[in-house]
Amino acid sequence: MTIRSIAAPASSASKPRPMLAHDHSQCISTALARAEQLCADSGARLTPLRHRVLELIWASHKPLGAYDLLDQLAREGHKPAPPTIYRTLDFLLEHRLIHRLASLNAFLGCSHPGDAHAGYFLICQACGTTEEVADTAGIQRAIREATAAAGFAVQQGTLELSGLCQQCRDD
C-alpha cells in the first residue's frame, strides 16, 4: 500500500509528526505546475487567488479549513470574504486539485490531481496526522463489489478511517 503523508492539523494538541523525507519545495512546485497544466488543458482559469489558495494548501502539508486559509491570506494583506474562499475551494475540488476531509472540515492537496478517483485517508486521532492511501485497487474492488451487490451507483466517494498511527501506537 502506498501512502502519502500529510502533517498534523494546526489544532492537534499533540506535537506535530515529522513528514516523510521529501523535497518540500519540489512537491509544492510540482503540484502547482500540474494544476496549471490541468487548468490550461481544460480551459479553466486558475486565477491568482485560486493559485494562492492551492499553494497555501500544499505549502502547509496539513489539512486546512477555510478560515485557516482566510487568516493566512489576511496576514498577506488580502481581504477575501468567506464566500470567495468557499467558491475558490469549490473550484479546486471540482477540478480535482484538492480533497475535502469531512470529519476535519478541512482540505488538502490531491497527490494525483485531475484523475477521477476516490480519496482514502488514514487520520490519527492522537496526533492528527493524515495520510492519503494511493494504492487503492483492493479497496476500490471491494467497494465496487459491495455496491454492485446492493444495486447502488456511487457518484463520489471519500473514505476516512480514524485510528492511531504507528508512531502514536508505539508511544
Side-chain angles (χ1 to χ4, degrees):
M1 167 169 45
T2 305
I3 297 176
R4 182 178 74 97
S5 181
I6 310 292
S11 62
S12 175
S14 303
K15 62 184 178 198
R17 301 294 187 192
M19 293 294 298
L20 295 177
H22 73 284
D23 181 346
H24 191 64
S25 62
Q26 181 62 40
C27 69
I28 295 168
S29 62
T30 299
L32 293 173
R34 180 79 172 124
E36 290 166 1
Q37 186 62 54
L38 286 168
C39 286
D41 291 349
S42 69
R45 284 193 61 227
L46 190 62
T47 64
L49 179 61
R50 292 169 177 169
H51 188 278
R52 183 64 185 136
V53 167
L54 183 60
E55 185 176 25
L56 289 171
I57 289 170
W58 272 99
S60 73
H61 260 315
K62 63 183 176 182
L64 289 177
Y67 284 88
D68 296 325
L69 292 162
L70 278 169
D71 290 345
Q72 288 187 38
L73 291 167
R75 284 192 297 274
E76 295 174 2
H78 304 286
K79 305 279 190 244
T84 303
I85 288 297
Y86 283 109
R87 281 192 304 272
T88 298
L89 291 167
D90 286 344
F91 172 90
L92 297 173
L93 284 166
E94 178 184 336
H95 289 85
R96 301 180 177 137
L97 301 173
I98 62 173
H99 289 285
R100 179 179 181 273
L101 295 175
S103 66
L104 301 175
N105 194 24
F107 303 85
L108 62 128
C110 178
S111 60
H112 29 293
D115 295 340
H117 68 283
Y120 303 109
F121 301 94
L122 309 176
I123 303 169
C124 181
Q125 293 173 318
C127 68
T129 298
T130 302
E131 297 177 345
E132 180 177 6
V133 179
D135 183 9
T136 60
I139 297 169
Q140 290 172 346
R141 184 174 37 261
I143 291 172
R144 213 173 24 254
E145 290 171 3
T147 57
F152 186 80
V154 176
Q155 300 285 318
Q156 188 267 342
T158 300
L159 178 62
E160 300 176 34
L161 301 171
S162 296
L164 295 175
C165 70
Q166 186 67 51
Q167 188 166 348
C168 289
R169 288 177 47 217
D170 291 345
D171 287 346

